[in-house]
Amino acid sequence: MAYGVNIHYEILGRRGSGWTILDVKKDRGTATALAEQLWKSRQYTGVRVLKESFDKSENEITSVEIYARGSNRKKSKYDETGTISPCLTPDDLYGPDGRRSIWELMHASLTEWRITPTELLHSLDHYYKLYNAGTRLQNAVQRTAVSFESEEGSIQERMRKIYKVIDMSIDIMKATKDTTPSLETGRLAPLIADLEEKANKRFLLTCAIVEYLRPAVTLSDKIGRVIIFLTANRPVWVMEILDQLISEYLMHEQVLVQLMGEQEDRSTFIKELAYFQQGELNLMGEDEKSPRFSEEVLRLNGFLSDNMLPRSQHVLLDRLKAEVEAPKPIGSDGLISQLKTLADLSHILESLHTDIHVLDQIMECVRARSGRLINSQSIADMLAETQNPFAQVHSLMDLECVTVGDANKRVVANFILPILSRPEYEAVFIGLDSNPTQRMTDLVQLQKRVLSAELSEMYKRKIASKLDQFCQTILDNSQILKKIHQLDISLQDKSRKLLQMLADGYFTSGACRDSAENHVRVYMRQPGFTEGLIQGIPRKKAEAELLAFRDLLEEAGIKGQTAMGDAIDEETASGDTTEEVEEKDE
């Protein structure tokens, strides 16, 4: 422990989607050894050790991860968004990497012409449109040549290779133009049966679908026509083609909005998208059956639910991440509202996803967005709305409740201790500006909020201890315990008064509550205490009085910490007369 710095180590384990504090150690070696033991036990999908440091001079707590096992993100085969892959053969160009590269290089043109990479690769008409569109094709080829420096030769040499691949692809389209089947009737099943034995069936079927879609004016019309082709009994290779087409249409930003309907509040759209991406719109209750969702959306939702459209599902995941990360308000209200949307979204995601790697991927975006909202300026602006320190701390606790991510919660918590330590606020916290006894209940309520919050143990302990110090100061200044002791009443009534105050929440956990409990214990240990509770009372009333006192002990939270509760249970269960109880007490 450095001067003025308090350190401990928290061991956290992960089961499912959440992390739980398993233990807290003072020694680094002991903490990491226990973490390694827990990881080897295979009881947890992830184990971490956090070093928590409290700097007393700055009233600030910092956290550093010093050990981590498990829960590493597994890379998806679709996780290449934003990269350009070199296409050295027609197979490369027509493969997933080639189509993705075409989108990255030419998405502006594809958006303008309302087509997809698959349509461009399977229609001579679309290719000629690109060829005649100035330098667009040349720019795309040049950018690709520059991007793969691992290839030998000059940029011009690489460009010649790419043009050669394009020419070969054009030759393929020309060679199959006359043999491409027609989908004029819109019936896919007979066409699939005719193509089943052909070696190039994928290419021919895709060409037929692209030609069938060409007259459609809007992207939403095109994707709607493809969605109609989805049925549960389609061959796998056909479903892969349909999935590829649908996923590419979904990459056009406006298509999803057209499908699901435009919302004034982005938070609603984001939450619906989270359910839709998993094919779980049915979990939204009545909204799923409302006219808000079209037949196309509900049909697509069913196939997403059955995991039959993996590429589309991945595109929707990317769209969800993009919506969360977009630099525009998530909701129409202020900071708390936007953070609540993110918190609600995190709960939705945790309930939907069983794959922790996918969950981590999207939750990373949610935590990052929450972190951008939680900053010194936004918190300072919020605190400036009131000069009352109690209101400020409660506002910070409201903020903590809807903040996603441990690191972001620490940012919020680090604003609490300085408020509690400011000299000008001390008079408020010890009740000099109001009724001191009432201020004790305020401190108790605030301490309960802190102890139930999702903060690290060090934060909870430091903040709770500071609140307990304030309550103890009020207790010392008001001399409540001394005044009750000096009252001209029986020990039993003194105990009842203190127990009722404990039950009503006048004492914070810690030294303050211990003081009150100790006084009660001292009274209850006095000879003849039980006799005093029931002296001169008929048996039935005596039993009721004993039970009432036991209930008061329980309400006060000290039943089980004293033998009195057990003694009362024994007395009432025995069926003894009042005189016999008195004799036992003597």
Side-chain angles (χ1 to χ4, degrees):
M1 183 185 299
Y3 179 74
V5 178
N6 190 3
I7 298 173
H8 74 219
Y9 301 87
E10 295 183 0
I11 300 97
L12 297 90
R14 178 173 187 170
R15 278 180 177 153
S17 61
W19 291 91
T20 303
I21 295 177
L22 305 176
D23 209 337
V24 179
K25 299 293 183 184
K26 288 287 186 182
D27 178 69
R28 179 185 182 123
T30 305
T32 54
L34 175 57
E36 187 66 26
Q37 181 182 344
L38 289 168
W39 173 242
K40 289 180 179 178
S41 71
R42 299 181 181 276
Q43 297 179 40
Y44 302 93
T45 57
V47 177
R48 301 162 60 198
V49 177
L50 300 180
K51 176 185 176 183
E52 299 276 333
S53 306
F54 172 65
D55 188 337
K56 189 174 182 180
S57 63
E58 299 293 333
N59 278 310
E60 185 171 287
I61 295 174
T62 57
S63 180
V64 178
E65 185 178 84
I66 63 169
Y67 174 99
R69 294 289 186 273
S71 297
N72 295 321
R73 180 185 164 192
K74 181 175 66 177
K75 191 173 181 180
S76 167
K77 65 179 180 180
Y78 307 116
D79 272 350
E80 297 292 342
T81 303
T83 62
I84 298 173
S85 301
C87 298
L88 305 178
T89 68
D91 286 342
D92 293 337
L93 192 61
Y94 281 89
D97 290 344
R99 299 178 207 228
R100 187 189 62 252
S101 297
I102 291 172
W103 176 260
E104 297 296 339
L105 290 162
M106 308 191 65
H107 65 271
S109 296
L110 296 175
T111 300
E112 178 186 343
W113 298 332
R114 295 186 292 277
I115 62 173
T116 66
T118 294
E119 289 176 275
L120 181 62
L121 289 169
H122 292 81
S123 170
L124 283 170
D125 289 338
H126 291 315
Y127 168 73
Y128 291 140
K129 186 173 185 177
L130 172 61
Y131 184 81
N132 294 318
T135 60
R136 297 191 191 192
L137 179 59
Q138 179 184 342
N139 291 339
V141 171
Q142 188 172 12
R143 285 179 58 194
T144 305
V146 172
S147 69
F148 57 100
E149 297 178 353
S150 59
E151 288 294 315
E152 296 181 359
S154 64
I155 292 179
Q156 288 73 21
E157 183 71 26
R158 296 175 211 160
M159 289 179 66
R160 280 194 291 271
K161 290 182 179 180
I162 297 171
Y163 275 122
K164 184 177 180 180
V165 173
I166 294 174
D167 290 340
M168 293 169 65
S169 301
I170 301 303
D171 290 341
I172 293 173
M173 281 192 280
K174 289 179 178 178
T176 56
K177 187 175 187 300
D178 295 333
T179 58
T180 298
S182 174
L183 245 178
E184 187 176 354
T185 61
R187 297 182 61 213
L188 197 59
L191 186 56
I192 295 171
D194 291 341
L195 295 174
E196 192 66 54
E197 302 302 323
K198 294 185 180 294
N200 60 344
K201 59 186 178 183
R202 287 175 178 268
F203 186 84
L204 291 173
L205 179 60
T206 306
C207 288
I209 296 175
V210 168
E211 184 62 26
Y212 171 71
L213 297 174
R214 198 158 60 87
V217 176
T218 65
L219 286 165
S220 57
D221 186 14
K222 287 184 176 182
I223 193 174
R225 294 189 183 197
V226 178
I227 291 172
I228 291 174
F229 287 145
L230 294 173
T231 61
N233 60 350
R234 297 285 190 215
V236 173
W237 65 275
V238 176
M239 289 299 294
E240 289 174 350
I241 293 172
L242 298 177
D243 184 23
Q244 180 70 44
L245 278 165
I246 291 171
S247 69
E248 291 180 8
Y249 285 124
L250 290 172
M251 284 173 11
H252 287 276
E253 186 175 354
Q254 69 271 33
V255 167
L256 194 59
V257 176
Q258 292 168 356
L259 276 177
M260 300 188 68
E262 192 165 0
Q263 285 278 0
E264 293 183 6
D265 188 351
R266 286 185 66 235
S267 63
T268 302
F269 176 74
I270 291 174
K271 291 174 187 176
E272 290 178 349
L273 178 54
Y275 282 106
F276 185 46
Q277 190 270 335
Q278 284 293 96
E280 297 289 1
L281 287 176
N282 55 298
L283 296 182
M284 297 182 66
E286 294 181 1
D287 287 343
E288 182 268 336
K289 298 183 183 298
S290 72
R292 165 155 178 67
F293 298 119
S294 65
E295 288 297 324
E296 288 90 349
V297 169
L298 296 179
R299 186 181 184 86
L300 200 54
N301 181 74
F303 286 92
L304 290 168
S305 178
D306 292 335
N307 298 314
M308 298 178 71
L309 303 172
R311 293 189 183 280
S312 299
Q313 204 154 25
H314 185 76
V315 168
L316 290 172
L317 181 65
D318 283 342
R319 177 62 178 273
L320 180 58
K321 290 189 290 184
E323 290 291 337
V324 171
E325 294 173 338
K328 47 188 175 181
I330 290 178
S332 57
D333 297 322
L335 178 63
I336 293 285
S337 175
Q338 293 193 63
L339 287 168
K340 187 177 186 307
T341 294
L342 291 172
D344 291 343
L345 178 61
S346 70
H347 295 318
I348 291 170
L349 294 169
E350 288 171 355
S351 69
L352 292 175
H353 290 271
T354 55
D355 186 336
I356 62 170
H357 302 291
V358 174
L359 178 60
D360 281 346
Q361 190 181 151
I362 180 61
M363 285 301 297
E364 186 178 329
C365 297
V366 175
R367 288 190 290 267
R369 180 60 189 268
S370 183
R372 291 201 298 273
L373 291 169
I374 296 293
N375 56 68
S376 299
Q377 186 60 52
S378 64
I379 295 178
D381 290 343
M382 182 189 73
L383 296 179
E385 295 176 2
T386 177
Q387 293 301 310
N388 182 285
F390 264 99
Q392 289 181 344
V393 178
H394 274 292
S395 294
L396 289 169
M397 294 309 300
D398 291 340
L399 202 59
E400 184 276 333
C401 289
V402 294
T403 296
V404 181
D406 293 338
N408 297 327
K409 287 180 179 289
R410 281 193 291 273
V411 172
V412 176
N414 269 330
F415 277 82
I416 298 177
L417 282 171
I419 293 174
L420 300 178
S421 302
R422 289 176 66 173
E424 62 268 33
Y425 286 161
E426 184 176 5
V428 178
F429 283 116
I430 62 176
L432 297 184
D433 66 327
S434 62
N435 183 335
T437 308
Q438 180 60 44
R439 185 48 42 88
M440 291 173 71
T441 62
D442 296 338
L443 291 166
V444 170
Q445 292 171 4
L446 185 53
Q447 190 190 58
K448 285 181 178 179
R449 286 200 72 180
V450 171
L451 292 174
S452 64
E454 294 180 354
L455 298 173
S456 73
E457 291 302 310
M458 181 173 282
Y459 277 108
K460 291 181 181 181
R461 188 171 67 248
K462 293 296 181 183
I463 298 171
S465 176
K466 193 67 178 176
L467 295 172
D468 186 50
Q469 290 174 23
F470 290 136
C471 196
Q472 183 66 48
T473 299
I474 296 174
L475 193 61
D476 294 339
N477 292 343
S478 62
Q479 296 187 324
I480 292 174
L481 299 180
K482 182 178 180 180
K483 289 176 181 178
I484 290 177
H485 182 68
Q486 292 175 343
L487 289 175
D488 188 18
I489 57 177
S490 66
L491 293 178
Q492 292 78 11
D493 286 339
K494 292 177 183 179
S495 296
R496 288 190 183 94
K497 281 186 175 293
L498 285 176
L499 288 171
Q500 193 60 57
M501 290 186 71
L502 283 164
D504 291 341
Y506 280 91
F507 304 99
T508 51
S509 295
C512 187
R513 182 180 176 87
D514 291 344
S515 298
E517 288 187 8
N518 286 336
H519 273 70
V520 173
R521 290 194 187 94
V522 168
Y523 293 146
M524 293 173 65
R525 283 198 296 266
Q526 299 305 308
F529 186 86
T530 307
E531 175 188 358
L533 286 172
I534 59 175
Q535 188 173 16
I537 301 177
R539 179 172 178 273
K540 288 292 185 184
K541 288 186 178 181
E543 289 181 359
E545 188 66 28
L546 289 171
L547 291 173
F549 193 80
R550 185 196 64 184
D551 292 343
L552 186 55
L553 281 170
E554 190 171 349
E555 289 175 28
I558 62 174
K559 187 178 187 299
Q561 299 179 25
T562 174
M564 178 58 69
D566 295 333
I568 290 174
D569 288 338
E570 291 175 6
E571 299 292 359
T572 55
S574 67
D576 292 339
T577 63
T578 303
E579 291 76 12
E580 289 171 332
V581 171
E582 291 174 357
E583 289 176 7
K584 286 182 180 180
D585 188 61
E586 291 174 352

